[in-house]
Amino acid sequence: MQSGGCPSYTVEQAVARGKKYAAAAGCSAPSAALSCLRAKPADELQSAAADFTGGVLSGPLPTSGVPELPVAPLEAVRTGRTANVPLLIGHTRDEVRGWAWPFANATKDQYEKAVRIEFGDEADAVLAHYPFSAYGDSYTGAYAFGALWGDSSTFFGLGGCQYQNLTATYAKRQPQTYYYEFNDPHPPTGRPSTGFDAGASHASEMPYLLPSATSALLTPEQQQLSGEMVRYWGSFVKHGKPATPGIAPWPSYRAGKFMSLLPGGESLALKTGVYEARRQCAFWNSIDYDWLPVNPDQLAAQAGVSQS
């Protein structure tokens, strides 16, 4: 499991999104919405759909509480209503930093306004833990949102404290649960440098798992990590555990450890407390907040951030 942390919409949330989309497409009358939408040209449907089907930026989540998915995935994990199979789960160090790019030009006031829009009554506490001043002088808002979204899991549950909580819950029933964080600070991007450091962003570990196609992009140290990861993943697929002679042992999550994957033979198992401290999980686990995904472009626009 390398993407997403099982958030889902309730029926009520899904219906509200559907009504919002229908209204945006000019079909607000409930009794005639379906026939109205079916009569619309495709380009009008698409232009109205930016906040409804716009890929990862706007939240295409499954809806639970329906015949196809009767129980919310997180509730299924919590109550043991899942297939009891071994699980290898993890994420990259900077999962969502790239998606925080709309805040690259944000001022301190705009950043704080956006945090207040997203976190409401908890915004003061969030800002105390993620102050604008802590993230340098360039692309500050993007780095700040990349950190707080990555730690809080408010972007599809990608990485962070809720992702770890999901793992801990699953591990209570399945001893063969293994957690990792891909920590190569400079994975290849294949894109020209703009000065903005996306770090180990979402999917940046994939070149390491598909080395026949991407080995030319990797340094010798990264190629070594690639070889180790292929062996870890292959052993898990074959045996249900990433136990591979000759490279760093990978304990199960029940041992209170996670694997930090690093280039040059530096990968090692660390205590989960190290992860929790880095991600400020004591804070995130202490407050109540909505961690369904936000649309970065829309949030930035609401806060008045310039995209020029």
Side-chain angles (χ1 to χ4, degrees):
M1 185 171 175
Q2 297 177 238
S3 179
C6 293
S8 60
Y9 291 123
T10 64
V11 171
E12 291 76 16
Q13 289 169 327
V15 168
R17 293 182 76 243
K19 288 180 177 178
K20 182 179 178 182
Y21 168 68
C27 297
S28 55
S31 61
L34 187 57
S35 58
C36 175
L37 289 169
R38 285 174 170 164
K40 290 283 183 179
D43 59 344
E44 290 187 27
L45 294 173
Q46 289 180 315
S47 65
D51 189 37
F52 189 66
T53 60
V56 75
L57 297 183
S58 58
L61 299 178
T63 298
S64 59
V66 295
E68 296 80 4
L69 189 64
V71 179
L74 286 172
E75 177 67 9
V77 172
R78 187 184 68 80
T79 57
R81 284 179 279 182
T82 58
N84 189 24
V85 297
L87 176 66
L88 189 153
I89 176 173
H91 62 91
T92 64
R93 186 191 65 179
D94 308 300
E95 277 282 356
V96 299
R97 185 186 289 178
W99 284 309
W101 174 255
F103 289 92
N105 298 324
T107 65
K108 179 176 181 289
D109 287 346
Q110 290 168 339
Y111 165 71
E112 292 182 353
K113 180 178 180 179
V115 172
R116 295 188 188 285
I117 292 171
E118 183 174 2
F119 290 96
D121 292 342
E122 302 291 356
D124 285 339
V126 173
L127 289 169
H129 284 264
Y130 296 83
F132 190 79
S133 59
Y135 297 94
D137 298 324
S138 300
Y139 311 111
T140 310
Y143 292 136
F145 263 111
L148 73 86
W149 281 341
D151 293 354
S152 65
S153 311
T154 48
F155 214 88
F156 288 82
L158 279 169
C161 303
Q162 300 296 341
Y163 207 62
Q164 185 202 22
N165 292 342
L166 170 70
T167 305
T169 302
Y170 192 88
K172 290 178 181 178
R173 290 183 169 83
Q174 174 50 257
Q176 289 177 246
T177 300
Y178 302 90
Y179 195 59
Y180 75 88
E181 187 174 51
F182 176 79
N183 280 321
D184 185 345
H186 303 294
T189 65
R191 298 187 297 272
S193 174
T194 62
F196 174 70
D197 181 9
S201 56
H202 186 63
S204 61
E205 83 278 28
M206 295 311 295
Y208 297 70
L209 292 169
L210 301 168
S212 63
T214 59
S215 59
L217 300 174
L218 306 178
T219 67
E221 293 78 13
Q222 291 171 332
Q223 289 179 15
Q224 182 177 355
L225 173 57
S226 171
E228 293 169 354
M229 290 173 63
V230 168
R231 292 172 67 192
Y232 282 134
W233 264 246
S235 176
F236 177 79
V237 169
K238 187 172 182 179
H239 303 294
K241 53 184 178 180
T244 309
I247 57 178
W250 187 335
S252 73
Y253 188 86
R254 280 193 179 184
K257 298 287 186 70
F258 74 102
M259 180 59 75
S260 176
L261 297 168
L262 290 159
E266 298 296 323
S267 297
L268 75 165
L270 298 173
K271 293 181 178 179
T272 54
V274 173
Y275 181 95
E276 291 159 4
R278 287 177 181 171
R279 299 285 173 178
Q280 303 197 57
C281 292
F283 165 66
W284 289 112
N285 291 336
S286 72
I287 66 171
D288 182 26
Y289 62 101
D290 182 0
W291 55 287
L292 288 174
V294 298
N295 184 310
D297 291 313
Q298 289 185 351
L299 184 61
Q302 287 179 278
V305 182
S306 169
Q307 300 301 304
S308 60

